[in-house]
């Protein structure tokens, strides 16, 4: 037989799941009911700063731009990890310094790897 505690836990998880789905689905339903629909050629036209576009709006970027974005994102998140370390730095002496140096060293290896792969060289294609 299933215990009472297990059923209570299952009910709590189910309620969280239902609430999460409601928070995701209800705004979409409300927007469908409230928003005025428009149709026609202007609906599919590209709009940029109130000016008509010249040529196609679909252009391809080289993979270098995406790699820059990923490197930026990785280092941005890593800086967020360093803030708590800076707040608690000094409680454990030199162990903190060694841990931070290992962390920054691993990050530096990522930069060295990207540099060796030629990511930071701009080549016009």
């Amino acid at each position: 037989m299933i215990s009472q505690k297990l059923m209570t836990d299952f009910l709590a998880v189910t309620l969280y799941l239902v609430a999460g789905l409601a928070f995701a689905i209800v705004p979409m339903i409300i927007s469908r009911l409230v928003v005025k629909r428009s149709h026609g050629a202007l609906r599919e036209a590209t709009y940029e700063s109130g000016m008509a576009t010249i040529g196609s709006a679909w252009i391809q970027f080289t993979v270098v731009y995406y790699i820059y974005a990923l490197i930026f994102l990785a280092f941005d998140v890593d800086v967020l990890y360093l803030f708590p370390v800076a707040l608690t730095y000094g409680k454990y002496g030199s162990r903190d310094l060694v841990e931070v140096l290992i962390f920054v060293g691993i990050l530096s290896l990522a930069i060295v790897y990207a540099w060796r792969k030629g990511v930071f060289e701009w080549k016009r294609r």
Side-chain angles (χ1 to χ4, degrees):
M1 199 84 196
I2 299 175
S3 71
Q4 184 67 25
K5 170 122 174 62
L6 185 61
M7 286 302 291
T8 305
D9 291 343
F10 182 72
L11 180 64
V13 170
T14 305
L15 288 176
Y16 278 120
L17 181 66
V18 169
L21 287 173
F23 273 107
I25 294 173
V26 169
M28 288 189 277
I29 293 172
I30 291 173
S31 71
R32 281 264 189 209
L33 296 174
V34 173
V35 173
K36 183 175 86 172
R37 302 281 180 247
S38 64
H39 302 285
L42 283 178
R43 175 77 173 164
E44 282 79 31
T46 304
Y47 179 79
E48 180 65 35
S49 304
M51 300 182 70
T53 58
I54 300 172
S56 174
W58 294 99
I59 58 173
Q60 291 182 344
F61 293 103
T62 61
V63 73
V64 175
Y65 294 110
Y66 299 108
I67 293 174
Y68 273 122
L70 287 174
I71 289 173
F72 170 77
L73 184 66
F75 280 95
D76 192 38
V77 169
D78 294 334
V79 166
L80 290 176
Y81 286 125
L82 286 175
F83 278 120
V85 171
L87 291 175
T88 61
Y89 188 73
K91 288 184 180 178
Y92 300 106
S94 62
R95 189 185 105 191
D96 290 338
L97 180 62
V98 171
E99 289 177 356
V100 169
L101 288 177
I102 289 171
F103 184 72
V104 172
I106 292 171
L107 293 179
S108 300
L109 287 176
I111 288 289
V112 169
Y113 176 77
W115 196 340
R116 298 277 303 197
K117 285 290 190 179
V119 170
F120 300 121
E121 296 175 11
W122 287 96
K123 298 175 189 169
R124 188 167 285 267
R125 294 175 192 196

